[in-house]
């Protein structure tokens, strides 16, 4: 009979699903004090007391063993799994971009006000610059010689401006062009009437000489008058340093003579 009961207990134990919490509490109560009395089922009342006591003891032992086995085999409570801390992203500070330098307006140079060139009052007839050995003004006469601006590398013109403040009853104008090579007459002219003068052109003393002589009985009125001699010359820029003019006149105020050279073409 004990074997039959033991087998039933083992089968029941195998099929039993233990309530671990309740068993732990029961074991703790058993350890703290005397085991509580259990009421005996009615079916077991006819059994001898010794059998009942033995059966109860075996059941308690079996139940306690199973409980202890469950406690022993139960895996220890798992510690709360802590997810590995995710590394905080490293924040690289964005370099502060310096503001572009403010555009600086280029320094404006102070406006330069051109200084007007000194203006020399110009007379109707500018006074020619006198050179050594020249006399450009005498009595009522004033004179200036220059090379014509339309002269070129093959041909030139020597111009004489003569101004008189009084009527002239006698007048001789002479232009001398030094023979620098290839100098040859090509013409002449004057602003006074051609019939009032006798004109000659000839070579003399190494120069080509133009001469205008006022005819007797004719008069040159006050004012400005021009005389010019034209000629060819050797190719190139011709120097007029050896050229010159001379003017002899007679007025009511007496005789007057002027002479000078020719300034280069401007």
């Amino acid at each position: 009979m004990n074997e039959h009961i033991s087998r039933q207990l083992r089968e029941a134990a195998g099929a039993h699903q233990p309530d671990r919490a309740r068993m732990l509490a029961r074991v703790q109560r058993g350890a703290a004090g005397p085991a509580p009395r259990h009421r005996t089922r009615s079916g077991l009342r006819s059994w001898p007391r010794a059998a009942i006591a033995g059966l109860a003891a075996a059941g308690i032992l079996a139940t306690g063993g199973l409980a202890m086995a469950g406690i022993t085999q139960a895996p220890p409570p798992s510690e709360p799994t802590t997810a590995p801390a995710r590394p905080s992203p490293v924040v690289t500070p964005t370099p502060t971009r310096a503001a572009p330098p403010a555009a600086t307006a280029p320094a404006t140079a102070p406006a330069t006000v051109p200084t007007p060139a000194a203006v020399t009052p110009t007379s109707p007839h500018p006074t020619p610059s006198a050179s050594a050995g020249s006399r450009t003004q005498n009595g009522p006469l004033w004179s200036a010689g220059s090379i014509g601006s339309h002269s070129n590398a093959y041909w030139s013109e020597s111009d004489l401006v003569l101004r008189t403040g009084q009527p002239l009853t006698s007048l001789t104008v002479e232009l001398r062009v030094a023979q620098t090579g290839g100098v040859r007459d090509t013409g002449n002219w004057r602003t006074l009437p051609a019939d009032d003068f006798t004109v000659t052109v000839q070579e003399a003393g190494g120069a080509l000489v133009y001469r205008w002589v006022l005819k007797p009985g004719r008069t040159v009125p006050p004012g400005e008058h021009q005389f010019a001699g034209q000629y060819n010359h050797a190719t190139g820029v011709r120097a007029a340093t050896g050229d010159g003019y001379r003017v002899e006149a007679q007025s009511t105020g007496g005789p007057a003579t002027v002479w000078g050279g020719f300034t280069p073409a401007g």
Side-chain angles (χ1 to χ4, degrees):
M1 174 183 268
N2 292 336
E3 184 179 354
H4 176 69
I5 292 172
S6 299
R7 184 174 63 251
Q8 289 182 345
L9 289 174
R10 285 194 299 271
E11 292 176 358
H16 177 70
Q17 296 292 332
D19 187 343
R20 187 170 61 182
R22 292 184 63 185
M23 287 188 292
L24 287 174
R26 187 177 298 174
V27 171
Q28 291 174 357
R29 285 196 303 270
R37 293 182 179 180
H38 295 278
R39 298 181 62 180
T40 305
R41 294 185 181 181
S42 60
L44 298 178
R45 290 176 184 174
S46 59
W47 290 4
R49 290 179 179 272
I52 293 173
L55 181 60
I60 291 171
L61 291 175
T63 304
L66 292 174
M68 293 301 293
I71 293 171
T72 304
Q73 295 178 1
S78 58
E79 296 181 0
T81 304
T82 303
R86 298 178 62 183
S88 300
V90 178
V91 179
T92 303
T94 303
T96 303
R97 180 174 299 176
T104 303
T108 304
T112 303
V113 179
T115 303
V119 178
T120 303
T122 306
S123 63
H125 308 287
T127 302
S129 55
S131 59
S134 66
R135 185 171 73 180
T136 59
Q137 188 171 1
N138 179 232
L141 298 182
W142 177 93
S143 62
S146 64
I147 301 299
S149 59
H150 46 279
S151 300
N152 54 51
Y154 310 97
W155 176 93
S156 293
E157 178 180 287
S158 296
D159 297 330
L160 171 65
V161 176
L162 179 66
R163 187 171 74 242
T164 177
Q166 297 177 0
L168 303 177
T169 57
S170 170
L171 177 65
T172 299
V173 177
E174 184 177 279
L175 304 184
R176 298 178 62 86
V177 180
Q179 183 56 261
T180 55
V183 176
R184 189 170 62 253
D185 171 50
T186 59
N188 63 87
W189 59 271
R190 84 262 119 233
T191 56
L192 290 168
D195 293 342
D196 289 353
F197 289 89
T198 300
V199 181
T200 61
V201 180
Q202 62 182 356
E203 289 193 18
L208 183 63
V209 181
Y210 296 83
R211 183 179 288 112
W212 293 266
V213 178
L214 183 65
K215 294 178 179 179
R218 308 293 174 93
T219 303
V220 174
E224 182 176 290
H225 313 287
Q226 295 184 25
F227 298 83
Q230 301 171 331
Y231 47 90
N232 288 335
H233 56 74
T235 303
V237 179
R238 179 182 176 277
T241 53
D243 301 349
Y245 68 88
R246 183 180 180 87
V247 178
E248 296 179 351
Q250 181 70 42
S251 67
T252 56
T257 304
V258 292
W259 64 88
F262 294 90
T263 60

